[in-house]
Amino acid sequence: MTQLIVDVESGAAAERVAAQIWAEATARRDGSEPRDAAQTLPGVRRRLELDGAALLVARADGVPVGFAIVAPRTSSLEVFYLAVAPRAWGGGVGGVLLAAVDEQAKALGHSSLELWVIADNDRALTVYQRAGWTVTDDVQQTGPGDDATIERRVVRHLPD
């Protein structure tokens, strides 16, 4: 049986792990060739520079299979990145990461969580909804012109 553990990690090695998983997961989602992790690393680092940001890394039998980056906002804990390595899709890693995000929020005294997800990312939306998140009607457009992406806001209110 696979042992799945999520820990808060820091440092360059953990950042590179997150960047690699993000590159692999977004490529699989988009049906494209994975970008080099060096291309996704600046985005990971930018979010980790936010006050109070944390990198949660999920490992299955010691091997990294997913991560989340969260940071406190005024009234919530925001999830900026959450990805699972494609080789681990369907194995419950996303749900375990979201449970760890809940625990991180509680530890910081937050009862509300939020994130933005690409509006047509049905796989992610299903994972969030199974974990008790609610898809809102709030949308935003990121990127210019034809490269614009529509994102939908997803929220979770933790029980007392």
Side-chain angles (χ1 to χ4, degrees):
M1 182 171 179
T2 300
Q3 183 181 19
L4 188 59
I5 296 173
V6 178
D7 285 315
V8 175
E9 297 187 17
S10 61
E15 292 169 0
R16 284 191 301 274
V17 161
Q20 183 63 46
I21 291 170
W22 186 255
E24 292 171 7
T26 56
R28 176 71 65 86
R29 179 198 70 211
D30 297 342
S32 62
E33 288 296 315
R35 294 185 292 174
D36 186 280
Q39 293 175 291
T40 57
L41 189 57
V44 167
R45 287 186 170 152
R46 184 177 64 249
R47 292 304 186 193
L48 288 170
E49 290 172 356
L50 295 170
D51 286 339
L55 170 59
L56 291 77
V57 177
R59 294 178 183 272
D61 295 331
V63 176
V65 292
F67 79 98
I69 295 177
V70 299
R73 308 311 266 169
T74 303
S75 61
S76 67
L77 183 70
E78 186 166 354
V79 179
F80 287 97
Y81 282 94
L82 190 140
V84 174
R87 67 186 177 280
W89 283 6
V93 176
V96 170
L97 275 166
L98 288 169
V101 166
D102 285 356
E103 292 306 312
Q104 187 76 10
K106 290 176 190 174
L108 295 172
H110 288 283
S111 60
S112 295
L113 299 105
E114 66 179 298
L115 59 83
W116 291 89
V117 62
I118 295 174
D120 64 357
N121 189 344
D122 294 333
R123 173 183 281 286
L125 288 166
T126 298
V127 170
Y128 297 135
Q129 289 173 311
R130 281 186 188 148
W133 291 66
T134 302
V135 178
T136 72
D137 292 331
D138 300 335
V139 294
Q140 67 181 8
Q141 179 176 318
T142 60
D146 291 340
D147 292 331
T149 300
I150 303 299
E151 295 180 331
R152 183 164 301 282
R153 185 171 175 257
V154 184
V155 298
R156 176 158 164 76
H157 300 286
L158 299 175
D160 294 329

